[in-house]
Amino acid sequence: MRKCNSMVFRLTGMVFILLFLTIAVLLFLVNLQMDNHFTHYLQMNMLIGMERMAKGPAEEILMSSVHRSLIWVGLIMMLISVGISYVVVAQITRPLLELTEAVKTIRSGQLGRTVSIDRRDEVGILARTFNDMSIQLKRNDTMRRHLFANIAHELRTPLTIVQGNLEGLVDDVIPADKSIFLSMEDEVLRLNRLVQDLRDLSLAEINELVLHKKESNVNILLQRAVSMLRPLTDEKELMVTVNLDDAIPLLYIDTDRINQVIYNILNNAIRYIDRGRAIYIETQLIRNMSVPSVRILIADTGNGIAPEDMPHIFQYFYRGEKSRSRKSGGSGIGLALARQFVLCHGGSIRAESQMGKGTTFYIILPVNKDTSVS
Ligand SMILES: Nc1ncnc2c1ncn2[C@@H]1O[C@H](COP(=O)(O)OP(=O)(O)OP(=O)(O)O)[C@@H](O)[C@H]1O
Ligand SMILES: [Mg+2]
């Protein structure tokens, strides 16, 4: 940057020019007035009969000393003001230079750099906003790296299994019986589901997931899900209680997506609770919200989610200990997907859990204007 373009130079120069003009005009006016008044004073003296008639050498000396004093005062004032304005402007611009250095560091790929500018003015606000942005960029970058690592890991497991089986078949090490093909089909289906889920998640995040909405009854969706999952609940001897509110109106939703939400949460409940426990499902029309809504509650009496896991369960690929240690454990995207689908419908989802007592999920779906509330 050329020196004459610097803000310090320009602002100080501007203050200097303004001061110079102000003081020059002031001096000119003061001098003019002094001359006029002093001459007038002398003429008045002459009129009332005093001896001196006009400016003599003594008056000239007085006048020029007044002029000189004025010029000195003007010059000293100008120097002091220019000095002060230089210090003030430099104080404003120094943090800006520090910020510029930090921005350059971020541009070079070193995310997370912050500046230590502790001020309450506009520059302070800019510095704080910059620090927040920098930390957020670092966080997003870390998340992106983890996401890639997780995707690669999740894709590799089924691929390795299929590849191993295929190699065994080609080398005649594994007999070509139906069970091998069935297990390979399982892995391919799992891969396909994972890729589909990831695609849906990324589309939902950027609001580009196409929803095929139609009027649907969530009570019926829940009843169907319960009977579809009956073999799993029976196998674990789980007691399932369903309490559905008949007053809830039809909802304008994409049934496939909302079904997926219900299945993901019910599947979790079945997967993460011990044999003989209970699952409770309830629907209720909530009228006292800004928009009338339907609340779906899915609770279980399992061991609950650890408090340290709670803030993360809706994150991509987050799995609790129980899920990770199981051979059949999931990928950790079931709840992330559920959350995105509910958000796409203008709703919300949250969980409450108590260790040793169980977990409850609340899904709130707004009742659309077009669907009547009786
Ligand atoms: N009802 C529940 N009881 C206890 N823990 C739960 C429950 N629901 C979810 N969790 C915990 O939250 C984590 C995240 O759940 P999520 O459904 O996203 O992933 P997942 O079940 O591990 O895998 P996926 O659903 O992709 O097959 C689970 O790993 C589990 O630790
Ligand atoms: Mg799950």
Side-chain angles (χ1 to χ4, degrees):
M1 186 172 56
R2 282 170 53 199
K3 205 159 186 187
C4 61
N5 284 339
S6 118
M7 259 175 88
V8 183
F9 187 84
R10 286 187 353 213
L11 286 173
T12 313
M14 200 179 74
V15 172
F16 175 78
I17 292 170
L18 273 175
L19 266 169
F20 178 79
L21 288 175
T22 317
I23 290 173
V25 170
L26 264 174
L27 284 179
F28 175 74
L29 289 175
V30 170
N31 279 336
L32 195 75
Q33 291 283 4
M34 279 284 296
D35 267 355
N36 285 345
H37 283 293
F38 197 57
T39 314
H40 184 65
Y41 163 77
L42 291 174
Q43 283 165 358
M44 288 288 287
N45 278 353
M46 187 185 74
L47 281 178
I48 59 172
M50 288 180 77
E51 267 176 35
R52 299 288 268 280
M53 287 170 41
K55 275 195 242 173
E59 285 80 12
E60 288 294 349
I61 289 171
L62 173 73
M63 284 302 288
S64 69
S65 116
V66 170
H67 285 175
R68 236 178 298 123
S69 306
L70 280 171
I71 289 170
W72 272 113
V73 167
L75 280 175
I76 291 168
M77 286 272 296
M78 224 148 44
L79 275 176
I80 292 174
S81 338
V82 168
I84 291 174
S85 54
Y86 180 85
V87 172
V88 171
V89 174
Q91 255 188 9
I92 297 174
T93 51
R94 205 172 304 125
L96 292 181
L97 289 175
E98 199 185 323
L99 270 169
T100 313
E101 282 308 310
V103 170
K104 280 186 193 160
T105 318
I106 285 184
R107 194 180 56 187
S108 71
Q110 292 175 46
L111 305 178
R113 159 94 193 257
T114 52
V115 286
S116 52
I117 300 168
D118 186 20
R119 288 166 59 149
R120 290 176 186 275
D121 56 5
E122 291 84 347
V123 180
I125 295 173
L126 178 64
R128 278 193 293 280
T129 315
F130 171 84
N131 285 348
D132 288 350
M133 182 202 72
S134 179
I135 291 166
Q136 191 58 42
L137 278 175
K138 173 92 183 158
R139 206 174 288 149
N140 288 353
D141 189 56
T142 313
M143 271 172 66
R144 188 179 54 87
R145 283 165 201 264
H146 283 160
L147 194 63
F148 280 142
N150 282 324
I151 292 174
H153 176 80
E154 288 302 318
L155 293 178
R156 206 176 51 214
T157 314
L159 276 175
T160 312
I161 295 172
V162 173
Q163 187 186 357
N165 281 324
L166 280 175
E167 281 172 3
L169 285 168
V170 170
D171 297 343
D172 286 328
V173 183
I174 299 174
D177 60 38
K178 203 172 173 189
S179 65
I180 284 295
F181 291 110
L182 283 175
S183 85
M184 283 200 293
E185 190 194 23
D186 261 4
E187 295 304 327
V188 172
L189 285 174
R190 189 177 147 146
L191 258 179
N192 202 11
R193 209 168 38 239
L194 183 66
V195 171
Q196 183 66 42
D197 284 353
L198 287 172
R199 191 177 156 272
D200 287 348
L201 260 176
S202 56
L203 286 177
E205 278 229 316
I206 54 170
N207 264 333
E208 281 187 13
L209 186 74
V210 181
L211 295 177
H212 301 287
K213 287 187 179 180
K214 60 174 196 265
E215 284 192 351
S216 317
N217 186 334
V218 282
N219 284 346
I220 294 179
L221 295 186
L222 282 161
Q223 273 161 343
R224 269 196 214 138
V226 170
S227 42
M228 286 296 287
L229 293 169
R230 179 85 58 209
L232 296 180
T233 49
D234 285 352
E235 191 196 315
K236 275 186 107 173
E237 293 162 13
L238 303 176
M239 196 180 91
V240 182
T241 312
V242 183
N243 183 8
L244 304 175
D245 181 354
D246 289 333
I248 65 168
L250 296 177
L251 293 185
Y252 193 58
I253 49 173
D254 182 326
T255 42
D256 286 345
R257 305 298 184 191
I258 296 300
N259 250 332
Q260 226 172 321
V261 174
I262 294 169
Y263 271 91
N264 285 358
I265 293 174
L266 273 176
N267 256 323
N268 280 350
I270 298 168
R271 186 191 274 172
Y272 300 119
I273 65 176
D274 296 333
R275 181 173 291 275
R277 299 287 177 96
I279 295 178
Y280 176 73
I281 301 166
E282 181 194 280
T283 53
Q284 199 184 346
L285 176 63
I286 315 276
R287 291 171 197 266
N288 58 0
M289 290 179 75
S290 53
V291 181
S293 306
V294 168
R295 190 185 73 181
I296 304 169
L297 180 153
I298 300 175
D300 65 61
T301 58
N303 289 332
I305 302 172
E308 62 270 22
D309 286 336
M310 275 303 274
H312 310 289
I313 57 169
F314 291 103
Q315 285 170 9
Y316 300 174
F317 295 112
Y318 190 86
R319 290 179 298 180
E321 231 11 83
K322 216 168 179 184
S323 174
R324 242 176 281 145
S325 58
R326 279 165 178 244
K327 196 166 162 274
S328 58
S331 314
I333 54 174
L335 287 179
L337 205 61
R339 180 173 165 272
Q340 282 300 339
F341 288 168
V342 171
L343 290 181
C344 285
H345 283 80
S348 64
I349 182 168
R350 71 185 172 86
E352 279 172 11
S353 190
Q354 250 185 304
M355 289 301 279
K357 291 220 166 135
T359 308
T360 306
F361 282 88
Y362 300 91
I363 305 158
I364 311 272
L365 291 171
V367 175
N368 197 276
K369 286 192 260 338
D370 311 332
T371 51
S372 58
V373 183
S374 51

